[in-house]
Amino acid sequence: IVTQHTAVNGISHRGRVLTLDSMNPNVKRVEYAVRGPIVQRAVQIEKELKEGVKKPFTEVIKANIGDAHAMGQKPITFFRQVLALCSYPALLEDSKFPEDAKKRAQRILEACGGHSIGAYSTSQGIECIRQDVARYIEKRDGGIPSNPDNIYLSTGASDAIVTILKLLVCGEGRDRTGVMISIPQYPLYSAALADLGAVQINYYLDEDNCWSLNITELRRALNAAREHCNPRVLCIINPGNPTGQVQSRQCIEDVIRFAKEEHLFLMADEVYQDNVYAEGCQFHSFKKVLFEMGPEYSNTVEMASFHSTSKCYMGECGFRGGYMEVINLDPEVKAQLIKLVSVRLCPPVPGQALLDLVVNPPQPDEPSYATFMKERTAVLSTLAEKARLTEQIFNTVPGITCNPVQGAMYTFPGITLPQKAIDKAKELGLVPDMFYCMRLLEEDGICLVPGSGFGQREGTYHFRMTILPPTDKLKVVLQKIREFHLRFTQEFS
């Protein structure tokens, strides 16, 4: 091997140690569409607008990511009061803060090293917060017990999901761990699997049936995958992202039975559990259904479920708060999990404090209760209204079909693209729905994520749009997309 030597000022150089060719190949395989090229272009356009460049629009509307506060949702007063008190305890003397907020802040501070949220916590998370999480789960699941030792606080749900996948991935060649993920999926999963060098096993949700999950399709995907890897994990997102479906109880039972029969570890991503809007839909936690199915299942099926402070009515993405609960995890593996999380020291303590308030909000006899309930209800009912509005308006556009947004905070409509547009996209080296979304961004300043970033059936095209913009702005966005779609179809017909 000849190493290139270049002499600069008589000193020999061999070129860089780290280049695209010599870097970790798994990292190069990682893709994350939610912050992909289309978003980078949106940021560029925002800069151009600031510099006075003339465009056919005055602002970029980012409907690409589930970032509630960035889209104008107001924080819950009680949460921010307690966090302010925790950050600056001198405010505990201030009469402007309600007594229940002060009591919460004092309890959290007493659990912190040196009574400061600037101190590290234990790696698994502050103990009294894990106890509150366990109580919250028990109450949510109608009294099914939850053990604080099975709760691990995390840096948003993402961190916990990646940690569990890291424990599960092993083997080489045909023995390499395969992980079943729904298509369309939230790209955290495909990105984490690429990074870990695991095998991604796609199972397709049924678009014609409101994006429901079908056991026949799970079995098809599993059997096909067994030819080339060792399937060990089944990931479920409920309520769905990007597809917004809410799973029926029957469906969850079927999935649990399937996981037991096929000896799969279950991962239940339940970060949208409060975001359920459709009539007749209800959130059922995987854990609750598992335990109601009896000891034959509840003593054997291994599972981790995840929740976060970033979604629901809170929308507090930036605090990076979350937790997971593990069920039936081998005690020796648990010791390894504790070791793994301790390498990162601890999740952000302000995020842990916020999570504590989410799982233990103001109670009916406390001064902050009325305001809290009013704010919470307002956020969720506005989202429900926007879910209906989005579905209605999209379904009036020829060439756009939109399933009901039963839950979560996204819509994932199917779009019919003319053949000429598909050819034009190929000519430009773009996936057709990426071409469509890029054009929408350049012409109308609306930033969406193309369906190809989440995965879709061959020959179908979609985009994901959040329902988070304020109602009046959302109406404008929907109208603009409607006009754009008609214009785009006309141009390429």
Side-chain angles (χ1 to χ4, degrees):
I1 295 168
V2 183
T3 314
Q4 248 182 328
H5 286 263
T6 47
V8 179
N9 303 337
I11 302 162
S12 160
H13 282 275
R14 295 185 185 172
R16 295 183 200 273
V17 172
L18 182 62
T19 66
L20 205 53
D21 290 336
S22 69
M23 71 174 284
N24 181 338
N26 287 348
V27 174
K28 288 192 281 190
R29 281 198 283 274
V30 170
E31 284 181 16
Y32 188 66
V34 173
R35 293 210 165 170
I38 202 135
V39 185
Q40 287 153 11
R41 177 63 189 136
V43 171
Q44 224 176 340
I45 291 175
E46 281 184 316
K47 282 202 184 110
E48 291 171 15
L49 285 170
K50 271 203 189 93
E51 289 158 8
V53 178
K54 283 277 167 278
K55 302 264 178 200
F57 48 86
T58 53
E59 62 166 341
V60 173
I61 298 172
K62 291 201 184 108
N64 63 297
I65 195 164
D67 190 351
H69 293 190
M71 292 269 86
Q73 186 178 307
K74 292 282 169 278
I76 300 288
T77 306
F78 181 76
F79 292 173
R80 290 302 181 89
Q81 283 173 332
V82 178
L83 289 165
L85 292 163
C86 288
S87 306
Y88 190 55
L91 293 172
L92 288 162
E93 308 305 315
D94 191 323
S95 60
K96 282 203 280 292
F97 288 83
E99 282 313 305
D100 52 350
K102 289 181 181 178
K103 220 155 79 194
R104 279 321 153 77
Q106 273 160 330
R107 179 169 176 264
I108 292 166
L109 289 170
E110 276 163 21
C112 294
H115 291 231
S116 165
I117 58 166
Y120 287 131
S121 77
T122 55
S123 301
Q124 202 171 337
I126 295 171
E127 186 168 11
C128 73
I129 299 180
R130 285 188 288 116
Q131 288 166 348
D132 287 348
V133 170
R135 274 193 289 271
Y136 161 83
I137 293 170
E138 271 179 27
K139 191 175 164 197
R140 180 198 69 188
D141 292 345
I144 291 161
S146 173
N147 180 347
D149 286 343
N150 289 336
I151 308 288
Y152 295 76
L153 306 191
S154 59
T155 309
S158 305
D159 169 47
I161 289 167
V162 171
T163 300
I164 287 290
L165 286 171
K166 204 174 261 183
L167 291 178
L168 282 155
V169 173
C170 68
E172 289 306 322
R174 282 191 64 164
D175 283 335
R176 191 69 178 159
T177 297
V179 179
M180 302 184 71
I181 63 172
S182 60
I183 298 293
Q185 52 109 22
Y186 174 51
L188 163 70
Y189 290 90
S190 51
L193 297 179
D195 186 15
L196 294 167
V199 179
Q200 176 178 322
I201 304 169
N202 297 339
Y203 66 87
Y204 290 88
L205 300 175
D206 182 357
E207 184 168 8
D208 297 333
N209 212 338
C210 210
W211 295 113
S212 62
L213 194 163
N214 180 319
I215 297 295
T216 318
E217 168 58 15
L218 278 184
R219 190 151 274 126
R220 177 208 63 78
L222 182 76
N223 291 338
R226 284 203 165 125
E227 302 294 312
H228 60 266
C229 70
N230 176 16
R232 302 176 68 201
V233 192
L234 171 56
C235 299
I236 306 282
I237 310 175
N238 178 48
N241 171 11
T243 41
Q245 81 289 8
V246 177
Q247 288 186 355
S248 68
R249 205 205 135 86
Q250 184 56 53
C251 176
I252 294 172
E253 277 191 30
D254 293 344
V255 169
I256 291 171
R257 247 179 238 113
F258 176 81
K260 183 180 189 305
E261 279 166 31
E262 301 296 348
H263 204 57
L264 299 169
F265 188 106
L266 260 181
M267 291 175 66
D269 177 340
E270 300 177 329
V271 302
Y272 297 99
Q273 54 190 260
D274 292 325
N275 298 106
V276 177
Y277 318 119
E279 287 296 316
C281 280
Q282 194 191 341
F283 170 73
H284 301 277
S285 82
F286 263 77
K287 183 188 177 194
K288 179 175 195 257
V289 177
L290 176 69
F291 277 76
E292 286 174 349
M293 286 170 76
E296 177 195 351
Y297 293 94
S298 61
N299 290 340
T300 59
V301 175
E302 295 154 79
M303 183 172 90
S305 59
F306 307 90
H307 195 18
S308 158
T309 60
S310 300
K311 310 300 176 187
C312 299
Y313 63 94
M314 303 82 75
E316 295 277 13
C317 309
F319 277 97
R320 311 308 300 127
Y323 74 77
M324 67 174 164
E325 181 182 27
V326 296
I327 310 285
N328 294 322
L329 201 62
D330 181 313
E332 288 178 325
V333 173
K334 226 179 194 176
Q336 296 291 324
L337 171 57
I338 289 173
K339 177 184 75 178
L340 187 58
V341 296
S342 67
V343 176
R344 300 202 196 164
L345 293 167
C346 70
V349 177
Q352 296 186 45
L354 173 66
L355 178 69
D356 190 50
L357 305 171
V358 171
V359 297
N360 182 21
Q363 297 307 304
D365 57 348
E366 293 180 314
S368 300
Y369 180 75
T371 305
F372 169 77
M373 284 311 286
K374 193 174 122 209
E375 291 175 345
R376 181 186 188 276
T377 308
V379 170
L380 293 174
S381 57
T382 305
L383 282 169
E385 180 201 336
K386 292 193 284 195
R388 281 191 293 275
L389 180 75
T390 304
E391 179 204 346
Q392 270 167 359
I393 293 181
F394 276 150
N395 282 327
T396 65
V397 187
I400 298 186
T401 47
C402 183
N403 269 316
V405 182
Q406 296 176 335
M409 43 184 65
Y410 315 96
T411 174
F412 197 71
I415 49 177
T416 308
L417 299 179
Q419 190 55 46
K420 277 186 186 164
I422 294 168
D423 298 341
K424 179 72 179 165
K426 292 210 172 105
E427 196 183 303
L428 296 168
L430 292 171
V431 184
D433 50 17
M434 172 63 95
F435 174 57
Y436 178 94
C437 289
M438 274 295 189
R439 282 282 300 263
L440 174 66
L441 176 62
E442 297 290 349
E443 292 176 26
D444 287 295
I446 295 168
C447 181
L448 306 176
V449 192
S452 46
F454 301 90
Q456 52 199 354
R457 281 200 183 274
E458 191 64 39
T460 68
Y461 305 105
H462 302 80
F463 59 77
R464 184 186 84 162
M465 182 184 99
T466 74
I467 58 169
L468 292 170
T471 308
D472 49 349
K473 195 175 270 190
L474 183 67
K475 284 180 178 159
V476 172
V477 169
L478 292 167
Q479 195 49 39
K480 277 183 155 190
I481 294 173
R482 183 196 154 86
E483 286 162 14
F484 167 79
H485 186 83
L486 297 171
R487 216 170 49 233
F488 183 89
T489 308
Q490 185 67 45
E491 182 186 337
F492 290 102
S493 61

